[in-house]
Amino acid sequence: MDCTPYPFHKLPFSDLFCSYIRQEDSLSPFFSANPFNEESIREYSDGFRFAGDRETSVELLRDFQEQFGARQPTYDQIDRLADPEAVAIVTGQQLMIYGGPLFTIYKTITAILYARRWEVLLGRPVIPVFWLADEDHDFPEAAKLGVLTNSDFQTLELAGDDLDVPVGRRLLGDDFERFRAELFDLLPETDFSEPLKGVLDRFYKKGVSFRQAFGSLMLHLFGSEGLVLAGSDTPEIKQAVLNPLLNSAEKHREVFQRLEGQSRDLEASGYHRQAVVQSSNLFFLDETGGRQKLDVENTTWSTGNGESWSSPELIKQISETPERFSPNVFLRPLVQDRLLPTLAYVGGPGEIAYYAQMKALYSGMDQQMPVILPRFSASLIEPAIDRILEKLPFEAGDFQNRIEDLESAYIEKVDRLDVETLFTDWKEQVSTITSKKVEQIKTIDPTLSTAADKAGTLFENELNQLKGKVYKSMKREEEIQLNRIRRIKENLFPDNGLQERSVGFLCYMNKYGPDIWNRLLELLEDQTPDTHKLIRL
């Protein structure tokens, strides 16, 4: 493996994200610290105070790991969290089938590596934590898996009902065996295929929840690095994070004003808002387990299915049954940071944009907004792709363009031989020479002039045949190159998107072995996520 930096601005990343990477002054009011500046991190660390109850959190985290078969390094890290000086670097995402795309790995590796680095930098325990977004209910997204085969990119989708049940609670059902069979049929057969199937089949099987399967796989891959898992969808944890849930209801007008005010300031600074600010940041879990959006008008709260409460009634119900309430995208980080002493959150471009709207909300909830650390971003370049990439007049980022535009650009870029001019000139020279030679032969024997003319005609016919062969050879070479363009694009930008957002990470485990992520950890150990990485396998 080797790693080459590549600028974010040459890839499809937002202006906000690119500005954040450059740490432009226009964004500094929206964040708490510069993640690339050691002095800024030290200063933030010195002023960090955990808003939750550390002893309770440690106990809940130990209990939470049991369902995933956690090993001793994970429990050792949880014990270290009991230290009043200990902090966490947190990342997380929705519980996607078979672990989801490559960015799952990049997020986790970033958290692990920066926990190591900042422990040395700060002289305090720093623990990597993966937050299982077990309350999100976007099942269509969680049920998709992108697969790179030997010939193309395909997306598999697990069937499911349209209930808004939190994905973490969903069980792998009747359609799972069909999904599994299709996946293993698509994956190229390698020396690593059977061991990979064995690993996946240990965790993903009918009747197992998405949360248990995803979490177990993550600890299988990174448990030896001391990765800790966390989530919020248990009654005990909901009780521990009650404060932000209550505040969201009690201060809903202030919460709205703070979020909306900062979002407008963000737009005034020339950036986009990632999400629309709503009157409420809570969901209600109904009797079926469905996650219903709570809306508030004046002092009346209601769901789409007809349930309603006055503000005092809602606050009372949250206090008594917090497990029935669920945070939205803005409230979830505050719930997370009430359970964990979050020094930093590792996020992708979209998450960083969410956080850009949130600093005022944190201060309104009497919590500290963590340092927002960009995750590593990378494109894995396989040896076969690297070889043909060198034969084309493009750089890696060019392949984000439409295939038609790439093909047109290739035709314009290549130094194509002007076949017509070459053979026209050749024929003219042959004709001139032939005419002179025929006249010379006539002086020797006039009866041979016809044979001489015929020789000239035969030579011209040979040139015509050769021209046809040259055209055919050029067409074949052109088609080879155009096929290479299509193959590279499908590998680096499948479905016209970034590889890291589309391709299931298990595809690379299948080709390059189960230790590929350990090798990636080593490769990125001294890197920073301030550029995209082109990683040649």
Side-chain angles (χ1 to χ4, degrees), residues 343-389:
L343 179 75
Y345 183 81
V346 174
E351 290 169 300
I352 290 173
Y354 283 125
Y355 272 100
Q357 296 176 245
M358 290 184 58
K359 188 176 181 182
L361 176 60
Y362 267 93
S363 60
M365 294 280 203
D366 297 322
Q367 291 183 226
Q368 287 178 267
M369 181 176 172
V371 179
I372 307 304
L373 178 64
R375 65 164 169 81
F376 278 108
S377 172
S379 296
L380 302 183
I381 303 177
E382 300 183 63
I385 297 299
D386 196 27
R387 286 192 294 271
I388 60 177
L389 188 57

Side-chain angles (χ1 to χ4, degrees), residues 259-286:
L259 284 171
E260 183 61 23
Q262 183 155 331
S263 299
R264 287 177 180 169
D265 290 346
L266 189 66
E267 289 174 325
S269 299
Y271 301 105
H272 73 285
R273 64 168 75 195
Q274 185 72 7
V276 175
V277 178
Q278 305 285 345
S279 61
S280 161
N281 295 291
L282 288 169
F283 288 87
F284 177 70
L285 298 172
D286 62 25

Side-chain angles (χ1 to χ4, degrees), residues 116-132:
R116 293 177 187 170
R117 292 180 198 179
W118 286 1
E119 180 157 326
V120 174
L121 174 70
L122 303 173
R124 62 193 303 179
V126 184
I127 284 76
V129 180
F130 194 104
W131 183 272
L132 305 176

Side-chain angles (χ1 to χ4, degrees), residues 20 73 116 127 129 170 186 203 216 263 325 375 426 490 528:
Y20 189 70
R116 293 177 187 170
I127 284 76
V129 180
R170 283 181 178 263
L186 286 176
F203 308 127
S216 298
S263 299
F325 295 87
R375 65 164 169 81
W426 195 348
E490 195 153 61
T528 55

Side-chain angles (χ1 to χ4, degrees), residues 26-248:
S26 56
L27 272 180
S28 60
F30 303 99
F31 294 93
S32 56
N34 181 342
F36 305 122
N37 182 285
E38 290 187 352
E39 189 55 41
S40 179
I41 299 305
R42 286 195 190 95
E43 184 179 339
Y44 181 87
S45 173
D46 289 344
F48 178 80
R49 297 295 179 269
F50 177 40
D53 182 284
R54 191 177 291 271
E55 185 177 336
T56 299
S57 293
V58 167
E59 183 180 342
L60 290 171
L61 287 171
R62 287 189 66 84
D63 292 343
F64 192 75
Q65 310 308 305
E66 292 179 3
Q67 63 193 295
F68 309 111
R71 290 168 284 173
Q72 194 58 44
T74 293
Y75 288 111
D76 290 344
Q77 291 282 51
I78 294 172
D79 289 343
R80 296 177 73 223
L81 271 174
D83 186 331
E85 288 294 303
V87 291
I89 293 185
V90 184
T91 192
Q93 68 177 61
Q94 176 154 218
L95 312 177
M96 303 177 79
I97 188 74
Y98 283 127
L102 284 159
F103 66 64
T104 304
I105 298 296
Y106 302 153
K107 283 181 170 184
T108 310
I109 284 177
T110 309
I112 291 169
L113 290 179
Y114 270 82
R116 293 177 187 170
R117 292 180 198 179
W118 286 1
E119 180 157 326
V120 174
L121 174 70
L122 303 173
R124 62 193 303 179
V126 184
I127 284 76
V129 180
F130 194 104
W131 183 272
L132 305 176
D134 47 11
E135 296 190 62
D136 285 3
H137 62 261
D138 189 353
F139 180 74
E141 180 184 6
K144 289 180 181 176
L145 183 69
V147 183
L148 268 181
T149 72
N150 279 332
S151 58
D152 62 4
F153 171 79
Q154 296 189 39
T155 300
L156 296 179
E157 188 166 356
L158 186 66
D161 56 53
D162 59 357
L163 296 175
D164 291 328
V165 177
V167 169
R169 298 184 181 186
R170 283 181 178 263
L171 305 182
L172 296 169
D174 294 336
D175 190 52
F176 176 68
E177 285 304 318
R178 186 273 311 167
F179 182 93
R180 175 191 176 280
E182 287 187 14
L183 169 64
F184 291 145
D185 283 345
L186 286 176
L187 290 175
E189 190 67 31
T190 71
D191 291 343
F192 307 113
S193 298
E194 286 305 314
L196 177 63
K197 290 178 187 177
V199 168
L200 296 177
D201 287 346
R202 279 173 56 192
F203 308 127
Y204 282 85
K205 48 195 170 186
K206 185 177 176 181
V208 174
S209 72
F210 270 70
R211 180 172 72 180
Q212 184 177 347
F214 186 102
S216 298
L217 178 59
M218 293 305 295
L219 285 190
H220 172 80
L221 296 176
F222 297 107
S224 62
E225 301 294 336
L227 184 68
V228 175
L229 301 182
S232 55
D233 194 18
T234 74
E236 295 79 13
I237 290 176
K238 278 291 174 62
Q239 187 63 48
V241 299
L242 179 61
N243 185 270
L245 297 175
L246 282 174
N247 278 341
S248 181

Side-chain angles (χ1 to χ4, degrees), residues 437-439 441-443 445-456:
K437 300 305 180 185
V438 168
E439 290 304 318
I441 289 172
K442 282 182 180 180
T443 63
D445 184 348
T447 64
L448 295 176
S449 63
T450 301
D453 285 334
K454 186 177 180 181

